[in-house]
Amino acid sequence: MRKSFITFIALIIVASVATSCRGRLEIRRSGNEQPSVVQNNTNKDNTRKKVSNTRRSDRFDLPSPMLNRAEQILERKAYTVSYNAEMRIPNWVAWELTGDHTYGKAKRPNRAFHEDYDVKAPRATYGDYRDGGWSKGHMCPAGDNKWDPDAMYETFLLTNICPQDYTLNSGYWNGIEMKCRQWAERYGSIYIVCGPILEGDHHETIGSNHIVVPEAFFKVVVCLEGEPKGIGFICPNTDENLNNEKCVKSISEVESITGIKFFPHLDSKTAEKVKNKADWNAWRR
């Protein structure tokens, strides 16, 4: 009788453990069925969650797919990158900047710039920029992401960085970034796309991984709050003294120079308003 009772209890325990294990397996299997996307920060062993290479169709700010360049789409918390594995730099970086995202307490992380393990080697490393003669130029700036520590951290991924002239980085390019934050506060929301411009077939490179140095940079901005408007910028990657007269362009002009179609989901009437003229004074009202 005692042996039977012990056997009965043992069977209950075995069944309970089996059910628990089966439940954990089902949860794990269910998790693998979800689309893989980038979420949050890296963990302590610097292993990032798998990135999605699919383009989110609901994103208004994403340019049309690249037709003649390598492209890997990297979704981040605050921005999206079209990464060029051949050049080791982005084709473009796109994000919406809201007034609420123009301030916060998140600080620059220690050892800020870091390798992006979501892209295959060879890829940019910190060592590639050491003694290369170029600064590490943000595309989506850290200053736009003080609202969240993970968003701030991801701006220092080297897939969001290009070799940029020191004077440009700290000068006119930084000035555009500050203007964008002012516009986001004033209007509530703006959409931004920026990236490198590569001229010709031969480019300077830096580092053992041959990171391509762009000849110039572009930035396009659209505001749909109130009367829709747009503006573009082309900035040579040099130490020359730049100004609005030299750099301000229409978005259509930037499209012609870069070969990238921006804001393809705009209706034709709105596209006509925001793409075909760049009125600096309209952004000062």
Side-chain angles (χ1 to χ4, degrees), residues 250-262:
S250 71
I251 294 177
S252 291
E253 287 178 295
V254 179
E255 286 182 327
S256 178
I257 292 168
T258 62
I260 302 172
K261 183 173 178 59
F262 301 108

Side-chain angles (χ1 to χ4, degrees), residues 199-218:
E199 300 172 351
D201 297 324
H202 302 285
H203 314 281
E204 179 181 346
T205 64
I206 60 171
S208 61
N209 291 301
H210 307 291
I211 314 306
V212 167
V213 178
E215 284 73 36
F217 292 92
F218 72 86

Side-chain angles (χ1 to χ4, degrees), residues 260-278:
I260 302 172
K261 183 173 178 59
F262 301 108
F263 311 110
H265 302 300
L266 284 173
D267 63 84
S268 58
K269 184 177 180 180
T270 304
E272 175 72 22
K273 285 185 177 181
V274 305
K275 284 191 174 186
N276 292 336
K277 69 175 183 178

Side-chain angles (χ1 to χ4, degrees), residues 1 17 33 58 65 71-72 75 82 104 115 119 124 131 137 157 170-171 178 193 208 263 270:
M1 182 70 177
V17 171
E33 290 171 359
D58 62 333
E71 178 174 66
Q72 178 184 358
E75 291 282 2
S82 165
E115 199 168 338
V119 300
D131 302 323
L157 286 165
S170 61
M178 291 190 291
V193 186
S208 61
F263 311 110
T270 304

